[in-house]
């Protein structure tokens, strides 16, 4: 061993990135595998996007505070159904044909029914959203309440019969159309009461737990 080698000291192993150590030349070639430490940036378990109970309660409060305003539609609808035809018969010139007056009255009644139907649809959608939000809260805390049976077909037939009864001035047909709505209204009313009672109990227990 010469003088230069003695001054440099013993040969050091060379570390190659890629988890292998290679001895320098002149020494027996030996490759040893080095296990890489676990990465500190390991992925964590992803949480699902299910809302919490507080968020569910907040959704109920938001929906209840944003009730749709349909009073204008109701007033206009009743005016076109009852008040406008009544006034038309008294203020119309006698020279105007009776058939024309009847046509205008029937058209007014149909428009009034459409406006009332639109108002009722908005109310029904809002009530359904509130009912569904309350049912979600109940399902998070207690046993969920079974949903009501759908009566869409009966309601559709009843609506057609009501419109036909008003258009052709047939009282019995109008009465039959109203009767078609009875099963759905009864089931919805009963379901709303069950939801309200269960939600009130859940809300009361949640408030006591929070205090």
């Amino acid at each position: 061993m010469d003088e230069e080698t003695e001054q440099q000291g013993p040969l050091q192993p060379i570390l190659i990135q890629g988890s292998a150590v290679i001895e320098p030349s002149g020494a027996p070639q030996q490759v040893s595998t080095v296990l890489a430490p676990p990465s500190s940036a390991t992925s964590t378990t992803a949480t699902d996007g299910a809302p919490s109970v507080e968020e569910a309660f907040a959704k109920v409060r938001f929906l209840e505070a944003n009730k749709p305003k349909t009073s204008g539609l109701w007033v206009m609808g009743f005016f076109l159904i009852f008040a406008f035809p009544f006034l038309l018969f008294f203020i119309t010139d006698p020279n105007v044909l009776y058939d024309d007056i009847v046509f205008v009255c029937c058209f007014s009644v149909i428009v009034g029914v459409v406006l009332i139907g639109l108002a009722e649809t908005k109310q029904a959608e809002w009530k359904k959203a509130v009912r569904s939000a309350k049912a979600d809260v109940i399902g998070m805390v207690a046993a969920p309440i079974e949903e009501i049976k759908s009566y869409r077909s009966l309601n559709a037939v009843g609506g057609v019969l009501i419109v036909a009864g008003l258009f052709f001035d047939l009282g019995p047909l109008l009465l039959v159309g109203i009767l078609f709505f009875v099963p759905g209204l009864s089931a919805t009313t009963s379901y709303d009461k069950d939801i309200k009672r269960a939600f009130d109990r859940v809300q009361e227990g949640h408030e006591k737990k929070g205090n």
Side-chain angles (χ1 to χ4, degrees):
M1 185 179 296
D2 55 5
E3 182 180 354
E4 183 179 357
T5 304
E6 292 179 355
Q7 292 178 356
Q8 290 179 351
L11 297 176
Q12 301 294 327
I14 301 173
L15 178 63
I16 305 291
Q17 188 175 3
S19 69
V21 178
I22 301 177
E23 297 293 340
S25 59
Q29 297 294 329
Q30 180 179 2
V31 179
S32 58
T33 303
V34 180
L35 296 177
S39 174
S40 59
T42 54
S43 58
T44 57
T45 304
T47 58
D48 54 4
S52 63
V53 177
E54 290 294 340
E55 292 174 341
F57 273 110
K59 182 179 179 181
V60 173
R61 291 191 293 268
F62 173 80
L63 291 173
E64 289 180 337
N66 288 273
K67 183 177 181 180
K69 298 179 180 180
T70 57
S71 57
L73 293 175
W74 278 99
V75 172
M76 182 59 67
F78 277 107
F79 174 78
L80 293 176
I81 293 174
F82 300 105
F84 181 75
F86 179 79
L87 293 174
L88 189 62
F89 276 104
F90 284 94
I91 66 176
T92 304
D93 192 333
N95 295 325
V96 178
L97 295 177
Y98 179 77
D99 293 340
D100 294 338
I101 299 176
V102 173
F103 175 78
V104 173
C105 290
C106 291
F107 181 76
S108 174
V109 169
I110 293 175
V111 173
V113 171
V114 171
L115 291 178
I116 292 178
L118 180 60
E120 184 60 27
T121 300
K122 288 185 176 182
Q123 287 284 344
E125 290 177 352
W126 173 76
K127 290 179 180 179
K128 183 178 179 180
V130 174
R131 186 166 58 238
S132 177
K134 289 183 177 181
D136 291 340
V137 175
I138 297 170
M140 291 180 179
V141 180
I145 298 177
E146 184 178 358
E147 295 185 1
I148 59 175
K149 180 182 177 182
S150 176
Y151 291 91
R152 290 184 178 180
S153 57
L154 291 179
N155 294 339
V157 173
V160 172
L161 293 178
I162 289 175
V163 173
L166 291 173
F167 185 81
F168 295 104
D169 195 17
L170 296 175
L173 190 62
L174 177 63
L175 180 60
V176 172
I178 294 175
L179 292 177
F180 270 85
F181 282 90
V182 172
L185 292 175
S186 178
T188 301
T189 302
S190 178
Y191 183 73
D192 285 341
K193 291 181 179 179
D194 294 339
I195 287 289
K196 185 179 184 305
R197 285 194 294 264
F199 181 78
D200 290 342
R201 290 195 298 267
V202 170
Q203 188 176 28
E204 183 180 356
H206 182 75
E207 290 176 353
K208 289 182 179 179
K209 183 179 179 181
N211 294 334

